[in-house]
Each structure stands twice: as structure tokens, then as C-alpha cells.
Amino acid sequence: MDRIPILQMGDLLLVTIQVDMHDQLALTLQDDLTEKIQRTSARGVLIDISALDIVDSFIGRMISTISALARIMDGTTVVEGMQPAVAITLGELGLGLRGVRTALNVERGMKLLQLPAGDP
């Protein structure tokens, strides 16, 4: 079965999606990530989607769900590297990724994860 690697960097987790996402892979990532958050007590998750050209409504909801689960487990999620076409598609689908912080690149995403949860 395909899996997306989840790297631990201190108390943060880094997920770099380098393959086309299909529904089963998205569900597997969601399960793997919530298990790793619980096991490592990670306080932040950075999801790099810069390689994704297309994000459908299912993948968009999965990203929102991961963020919600991380919040429940006292963590923050930042999605970085979103292509303009992906942002437009998510907007057209009405998926605002509520509760998900976004950043232009990994460096900015890591800085966001260093801020307290209420800061912009």
C-alpha cells in the first residue's frame, strides 16, 4: 500500500505530498498523521502541497479534517506551497480550509508553527 512519509522535526511533523492524491491515499495519510501526532505529542504539522496541481473537494475536506484533528490533539496545521490554480479551485468549491493556516513556502510555514496558536 502507498504511504506518504511523515517526518518528525523536534515537536513538529512535516508531510510533503509528492504524488497525485487519490481518496484511499488521503484517508491513509489522515490515519497515519493522527496516529503520529498522538504518539509523538507533536504540536504542529506542516503539509507541503507544492507538487499538487489539482485538489478536489475530497482532498480539500481531508486537509480540513486533519487540521481539526490536530487542533483537538492540541496541535496546529499549516499548509504551504499551494499553487494558484489549487487556491482558485478550493475557492470555487467553497472550501475555505477553515482553521488551516497557510504559507507560501516551507520557511514561512515553519515560522508560523513557531508562533503561539492565536497569533497570525
Side-chain angles (χ1 to χ4, degrees):
M1 181 193 295
D2 293 330
R3 284 196 142 63
I4 294 175
I6 301 170
L7 305 174
Q8 184 174 356
M9 299 174 58
D11 59 355
L12 304 176
L13 300 176
L14 175 62
V15 178
T16 302
I17 301 172
Q18 298 290 319
V19 296
D20 289 330
M21 291 287 285
H22 52 81
D23 293 356
Q24 187 56 52
L25 184 58
L27 290 171
T28 300
L29 173 60
Q30 181 177 304
D31 292 344
D32 289 350
L33 196 49
T34 53
E35 188 275 327
K36 188 129 185 182
I37 291 169
Q38 186 274 328
R39 188 168 31 88
T40 64
S41 299
R43 65 173 194 77
V45 177
L46 182 64
I47 302 175
D48 174 13
I49 63 168
S50 59
L52 294 182
D53 294 325
I54 298 171
V55 172
D56 63 16
S57 61
F58 184 83
I59 303 302
R61 283 192 308 274
M62 181 271 310
I63 291 170
S64 291
T65 300
I66 286 173
S67 178
L69 292 169
R71 272 194 315 278
I72 289 169
M73 299 169 78
D74 198 28
T76 302
T77 302
V78 174
V79 173
E80 66 84 14
M82 188 178 302
Q83 301 292 332
V86 170
I88 290 167
T89 300
L90 289 173
E92 289 173 348
L93 293 171
L95 296 171
L97 298 183
R98 189 173 302 252
V100 180
R101 291 174 150 179
T102 59
L104 291 176
N105 56 41
V106 172
E107 181 180 358
R108 289 185 179 187
M110 293 300 267
K111 285 181 182 178
L112 270 178
L113 286 172
Q114 300 301 323
L115 295 174
D119 291 350

